[in-house]
Amino acid sequence: MSYFWVNLGAHLLISLLLLIVFLWATKNTRQNRWRHGFLFLLPVVLMVVLLVQLWLFSVPRVLDTTTVLRSTYKVKSGTIEKVSYFKDHIEIDGEYYYVNPFEFELEEGEDVVIKYTPYAHYAYSVKVTETEDQAAK
């Protein structure tokens, strides 16, 4: 579970750094310090990047902290359709689940039962189940 906490901390740190750079750019824009005229749009671009970072990464992980602390995960079973290049997320039934690439060795086509958090879809445990073909061998 330490992978979840490190991931949460990293995304919160990225969000904080984006906020600091946004505030710095806003201050420079208000004081008219930019040498190039197009840089007055920098705060707008930074705010869009910050909002996307918060919406996709930071907020779902913060909402999942209660799930992790209580150990009340959702459960789903299915076949792995796709494993990412870095093996940090898998796709089951069209939904992506983030997994610890150092803990799980998963391959496409495996039947799995997965326990995951509801908002960020972080996989707490992934158990490979035997299919009839594997049981016959």
Side-chain angles (χ1 to χ4, degrees):
M1 222 49 236
S2 60
Y3 183 75
F4 173 81
W5 296 111
V6 169
N7 198 305
L8 172 66
H11 283 290
L12 289 177
L13 181 63
I14 290 169
S15 297
L16 179 65
L17 291 175
L18 281 170
L19 179 64
I20 291 170
V21 173
F22 166 75
L23 293 173
W24 171 79
T26 303
K27 179 181 136 192
N28 283 346
T29 299
R30 279 190 288 135
Q31 295 176 353
N32 229 2
R33 287 189 182 173
W34 298 120
R35 292 185 180 169
H36 304 289
F38 63 89
L39 287 176
F40 76 93
L41 290 174
L42 185 61
V44 174
V45 173
L46 286 170
M47 181 50 67
V48 170
V49 171
L50 176 61
L51 288 175
V52 168
Q53 162 70 19
L54 287 170
W55 181 262
L56 294 178
F57 299 107
S58 298
V59 171
R61 282 163 178 77
V62 168
L63 291 174
D64 281 340
T65 55
T66 57
T67 301
V68 172
L69 292 173
R70 292 183 197 168
S71 296
T72 54
Y73 303 101
K74 289 188 171 190
V75 178
K76 179 172 184 146
S77 61
T79 303
I80 298 176
E81 298 168 358
K82 182 179 174 186
V83 177
S84 72
Y85 179 73
F86 293 112
K87 299 186 183 219
D88 63 340
H89 65 273
I90 59 175
E91 182 179 350
I92 300 173
D93 296 334
E95 289 196 44
Y96 287 97
Y97 300 91
Y98 295 96
V99 295
N100 184 347
F102 306 111
E103 187 176 344
F104 302 113
E105 291 289 327
L106 303 170
E107 296 179 12
E108 292 179 11
E110 288 182 327
D111 290 328
V112 294
V113 175
I114 184 170
K115 288 184 180 179
Y116 65 97
T117 59
Y119 299 105
H121 286 212
Y122 173 79
Y124 170 70
S125 74
V126 179
K127 296 197 189 271
V128 179
T129 59
E130 286 190 20
T131 61
E132 294 174 8
D133 295 334
Q134 294 171 342
K137 291 181 183 180

